[in-house]
Amino acid sequence: MFAEQFANVRTKSPLIHNITNYVTVNDCANMVLACGASPIMADDAAEVEDITTICGGLNINIGTLNSRTIESMLKAGRKANALGHPVVLDPVGAGASALRTGTAYRLLDEVRFTVIRGNISEVKTLASGAGTTKGVDADVADRVTEENLDGAVAFAKAFAAKTGAVVAITGAIDIVADGAKAYCIRNGHPMMSAITGTGCQLSALTAAFITANPGQPLEAAAAAVCAMGLAGEIAHARLTPLDGNATYRNYIIDAIYHMTPAQLEEGAKYEVR
Amino acid sequence: MFAEQFANVRTKSPLIHNITNYVTVNDCANMVLACGASPIMADDAAEVEDITTICGGLNINIGTLNSRTIESMLKAGRKANALGHPVVLDPVGAGASALRTGTAYRLLDEVRFTVIRGNISEVKTLASGAGTTKGVDADVADRVTEENLDGAVAFAKAFAAKTGAVVAITGAIDIVADGAKAYCIRNGHPMMSAITGTGCQLSALTAAFITANPGQPLEAAAAAVCAMGLAGEIAHARLTPLDGNATYRNYIIDAIYHMTPAQLEEGAKYEVR
Amino acid sequence: MFAEQFANVRTKSPLIHNITNYVTVNDCANMVLACGASPIMADDAAEVEDITTICGGLNINIGTLNSRTIESMLKAGRKANALGHPVVLDPVGAGASALRTGTAYRLLDEVRFTVIRGNISEVKTLASGAGTTKGVDADVADRVTEENLDGAVAFAKAFAAKTGAVVAITGAIDIVADGAKAYCIRNGHPMMSAITGTGCQLSALTAAFITANPGQPLEAAAAAVCAMGLAGEIAHARLTPLDGNATYRNYIIDAIYHMTPAQLEEGAKYEVR
C-alpha cells in the first residue's frame, strides 16, 4: 500500500528543513534528493524560523547538538508547530549523556512531534528516563526480536499514545506505531549497521514522506522505513566481494534514487499488529 | 582556450582557504584536491587571518553560516583583500532568510570579491534585494533558458559592472560575465541537480582556478565552470543502470581528478555574448 | 605480528569518542565501523565528560577547532586521563596558525596522550615550536626519505621520550616510535595524498587499535598505520581507469572493512630501528 505515499514525495517534492548533525549531514541531504524532495540545512537561531517557514517539514536530529543549536532546534520546532508543519525527532544518543537526554526531554516538552524515530535504547530513554546507550546503537539486551516483539509493539503504542507522535523504533525488526496500530517491518540488511548514519538518513527520508502525505503520518512513516530497508536489500545485492561499508553507503542512496513506487509496493515486508 | 587555465592549476597547486558549510565540505576538499590544488578549511575568527595569509586564495560559502562564522568570513575576506588574494563568494540560499540575505549584503559591502557564483535566484537576491529561494536551487520561473538568455546575460554584466566581480550564474545554461563580456556555457547534465553541493564544489574549484590564473578571473572562472560541467557529462556516461546520485557524486570528482587540460579544451561548450 | 592487535579490535569492538573536524568526520566514523569498532562524535563541553566516560578511548583532532570545541577537547582529554583511557592527538595544521599551534601546545601541557599522530611538519611544530605547514601536508623539504630516515627516527624517539606518547609520523615512509623502538613502515600509495582526511581516518583507526590493545600502544599504533597503508594498496589495485580520488576514498574504507588479521599480518611492510 505504500506506492501512493512514495508517489506523493516524487510528485510534490517537498522542501525539508534539517537541523542535523555534522557527521551524516551530507548523506542526509543526498538521501532527501534521492527520494525526490529538496533539503535545506540551517541551524542558526537567527534564521531557523525563516527557513522553517519556507519549508514544508522539519527534521530535528540531536547527533552533534551544542548549546547554540539546541536553542535553534527549539525555535524551529515551535515555529513548525505554529505553522502546522510536520516535525521529526531523531534523539541520537539519548541516554548517552545528560545533555542529550535532557535536550530530548526538553524538545518533547516544548515541541509537538509528528514522528519520533530512534533505536529501542533511545526511545526507551525518552519513554522512561532510564536506559543505557552504546554509541548510537540499541543495547544488545534491548534488541527487538521475534520473541519480544509483542511487548515492544505494546511499548511503542503506549509511547505513541502518550506523546501523540508516531513512534518508529528501528532495528532488525522495525516498529512504526501510533496509539492504535503498529506496522512491524522486516526489510533491511544487517550490514546497514556498519554504515554511520543510516538512522539519520531514514529520519530525513521520513520527514520528506510525512510532509508529502499530510494526515497520514503513520502510513507515510512506515513507507519511509520500508523504503530505507528495501534500499538496503537492493544495495546489498549489488555488492561485489571487495565492496564494503563505504560503497554500500553510496548504493543505498542510489537505490532510493531509482526506487519506484511500484517497487516499494512490491518489496515492502510488513505486518500490522 | 581553457587548457592553459587548467594547466596552471595543476602546475601551481595553489593552497585555498575555504570557509564553507558543513554539508558539502568534504566534497569541496576532495574536489580541490582532484583539480590539483590543496584545500584548508578553517573558520574560527581567531585563526582565519593567519590561514588566509599562508594561502593563495579564499572561498567563502554561506551555506551553514552562523553568528560565529559570519565574523570569520568578514575577517578573512578583508585580510585576503589586503593581501591581494582572489576571493570567491558563494551566497548559498541568499533570499531564503533575512540572515543569509543580510550577511550576503554585508559581505558585498565589506569585501571585494573576485568572483560571485550562485544560481539565478541567489544572484538576483544580491542584485536586487528581492527574490525567493527554493532551498538552494533557482526558482523555476527564474530559470535561464535559450529564450531569456540575452536578458540574463545583460543582468549578469550589469551586476558584474556594479560589483567589480566576475559573476557566475549557474544552471541549465551557465553565464560567466564581467562588465563587458560573457561566456554562455552549455556543459553539464540535469542529473547534477540531484546531488547536494555541486554548486559548492564548483565555487571551491573556481577559487583554485582564479588563484592559479592571476589577472584572468573571467577566463579562469569560465574554465572552472566548463570543467565542472564536463565532469558532469563524463561522470554521467559512466553510470550503470543501478547507479544513482551518490555514485554520480563520486564520479564527478573522479572526472576532475583525471581531466587533462586538453580534454577540457576539447570538451568545453561555450559561446561569447 | 599485527594479526593479534587487529583481531582484538574486531573482538572487543571498542566504543571510541571522537572530537574531530567537520571536514572528514563522516569518513572517520565509517572507518571506525569498518575496523569493527564503534564511533561516537560529541564535542559540546557540557557532554564530553559523559561521553568519554561511556567510551573506551578518545580521539582528539584539531582540524576545524574553534573556541567552543577547544575547551571540549581539554575537558574530554583530562577526563580520559582520569579514567585511564587511551587518547590520540591529531594536531592537524599545527604550525599553520597561532591558534592551532597554541592549542596543540596547550593540549600537550594539560593532557597525557597515548599516541600523537601527524605529518612531519605538524610533529616538528609540536616538538620545536617552529616549522611551516602547507595546508595539512608535510613540507616538501621536510619529507621523510630513505636518506634522512635515521635522523627522523631519532627525532621521533626523542619526542616520544619527551612526551611519554607513542609518536606516529606519517608520510611516504611512516615512523611509529616510543622512546626506545621505532617501526618504519612502507605500506601505502602516493595517491592517498589526493584524498582529504586519510590522516584523520588513520587517527580514528589508531584510537580503535590502542583501545582494544591496552598496554601495547606502540604495537597497536604501528598495526593501525600498517592497516591503513595496506588498505591504500588494496584499494588502489581495484581502481579502474576512470576511478579517481573520490572512488579511492570509498575503496580504502571498504578495504579495512574486509581486511582480516591474517591479511594484515601478511601485508604489513615494516622494519624495526
Side-chain angles (χ1 to χ4, degrees), chain B residues 16 20 36 108 149:
Chain B
I16 306 300
T20 185
L108 285 178
L149 182 56

Side-chain angles (χ1 to χ4, degrees), chain B residues 41-90:
Chain B
M41 276 61 184
D43 68 14
D44 196 72
E47 72 163 346
V48 290
E49 292 174 316
D50 281 2
I51 298 294
T52 276
T53 300
I54 62 166
C55 290
L58 173 63
N59 174 36
I60 295 177
N61 175 309
I62 67 168
T64 51
L65 81 181
N66 62 54
S67 47
R68 184 177 65 75
T69 55
I70 290 167
E71 292 311 311
S72 304
M73 293 172 189
L74 290 162
K75 282 184 84 166
R78 287 188 296 250
K79 185 70 175 181
N81 280 173
L83 294 165
H85 293 181
V87 190
V88 172
L89 173 64
D90 188 333

Side-chain angles (χ1 to χ4, degrees), chain B residues 17 22 32 38 55 106 116 130 142 169 177 199 215 229 236 249 269:
Chain B
H17 179 194
Y22 61 81
V32 169
S38 289
C55 290
R106 203 172 152 204
I116 299 166
D142 286 347
I169 300 172
H236 194 267
R249 178 262 303 262
K269 297 181 201 127

Side-chain angles (χ1 to χ4, degrees), chain C residues 22-268:
Chain C
Y22 61 81
V23 184
T24 64
V25 58
N26 184 270
D27 291 332
C28 289
N30 277 325
M31 181 57 82
V32 169
L33 286 162
C35 78
S38 289
I40 185 162
M41 275 62 183
D43 69 16
D44 195 74
E47 72 162 347
V48 290
E49 292 175 316
D50 280 1
I51 297 294
T52 277
T53 299
I54 62 167
C55 289
L58 173 64
N59 174 36
I60 295 177
N61 174 309
I62 67 168
T64 53
L65 82 180
N66 63 53
S67 47
R68 184 178 65 75
T69 55
I70 290 167
E71 292 310 311
S72 305
M73 293 172 188
L74 290 162
K75 282 184 83 166
R78 288 188 295 250
K79 185 70 176 182
N81 280 173
L83 293 166
H85 293 181
V87 190
V88 172
L89 173 64
D90 188 334
V92 179
S97 75
L99 182 69
R100 285 174 195 244
T101 307
T103 299
Y105 288 142
R106 201 171 154 206
L107 285 163
L108 285 177
D109 277 348
E110 301 190 25
V111 177
R112 257 186 347 272
F113 288 96
T114 315
V115 178
I116 299 166
R117 193 221 62 82
N119 61 32
I120 181 71
S121 169
E122 292 158 352
V123 177
K124 278 178 64 177
T125 295
L126 297 198
S128 67
T132 62
T133 293
K134 190 196 175 211
V136 295
D137 295 311
D139 297 326
V140 176
D142 287 346
R143 191 170 285 174
V144 176
T145 63
E146 297 295 345
E147 287 66 38
N148 64 25
L149 183 56
D150 282 334
V153 165
F155 163 73
K157 285 180 178 173
F159 187 52
K162 182 181 161 196
T163 57
V166 169
V167 172
I169 299 173
T170 54
I173 307 171
D174 307 309
I175 300 167
V176 183
D178 63 15
K181 184 176 173 182
Y183 289 88
C184 298
I185 298 168
R186 290 182 179 78
N187 288 106
H189 191 281
M191 189 174 161
M192 296 173 81
S193 64
I195 302 170
T196 191
T198 47
C200 301
Q201 292 172 47
L202 173 53
S203 292
L205 192 67
T206 300
F209 272 67
I210 63 173
T211 303
N213 292 281
Q216 304 182 56
L218 179 65
E219 289 70 26
V225 171
C226 287
M228 187 72 190
L230 181 59
E233 298 168 21
I234 293 167
H236 193 267
R238 289 184 68 185
L239 295 178
T240 60
L242 293 175
D243 291 332
N245 58 331
T247 294
Y248 191 34
R249 177 259 305 259
N250 291 311
Y251 284 2
I252 291 173
I253 298 172
D254 285 356
I256 294 288
Y257 180 83
H258 283 294
M259 194 178 287
T260 62
Q263 197 178 7
L264 175 58
E265 182 88 31
E266 192 181 318

